């Protein structure tokens, strides 16, 4: 599979098709690229970093996670 993201400067673009695709049915798509995907990936990466830093935090403190969560939620409901 070949995937390439470009920023064309003309309405015409030449596509090189590799030899292994010759005499086979192939699909060529032209779609606008969504730049929001990069922002979403950055957000997911931040969330993963937070998860890695806080994973197992409650285990060492002998805290019941359900009670801890309920107490946090009641702080915001007041």
């Amino acid at each position: 599979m070949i995937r390439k993201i470009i920023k064309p400067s003309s309405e015409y673009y030449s596509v090189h098709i590799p030899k292994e695709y010759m005499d086979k049915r192939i699909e060529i798509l032209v779609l606008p690229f969504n730049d929001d995907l990069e922002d979403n990936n950055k957000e997911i990466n931040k969330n993963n970093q937070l998860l890695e830093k806080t994973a197992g935090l409650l285990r060492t403190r002998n805290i019941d996670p359900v009670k801890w969560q309920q107490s946090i939620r009641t702080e915001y409901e007041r």
Side-chain angles (χ1 to χ4, degrees), residues 2 8 11 15 23 42 44 46 50 58 60-61 67:
I2 298 173
E11 292 181 27
V15 178
D23 298 323
K42 289 178 185 175
I44 289 170
K46 286 180 185 177
L50 177 64
L58 299 177
T60 59
R61 298 189 181 174
K67 289 181 182 177

Side-chain angles (χ1 to χ4, degrees), residues 6-32:
I6 63 163
K7 191 171 187 177
S9 57
S10 169
E11 292 181 27
Y12 301 97
Y13 189 79
S14 297
V15 178
H16 169 76
I17 300 173
K19 290 180 184 179
E20 57 266 15
Y21 292 158
M22 292 292 108
D23 298 323
K24 294 181 180 180
R25 295 178 64 193
I26 63 171
E27 178 179 17
I28 298 173
L29 300 173
V30 177
L31 302 169

Side-chain angles (χ1 to χ4, degrees), residues 48-65 68:
N48 286 342
Q49 288 175 354
L50 177 64
L51 181 63
E52 287 175 7
K53 288 180 182 177
T54 59
L57 183 68
L58 299 177
R59 180 180 48 116
T60 59
R61 298 189 181 174
N62 295 326
I63 297 174
D64 180 21
W68 179 74

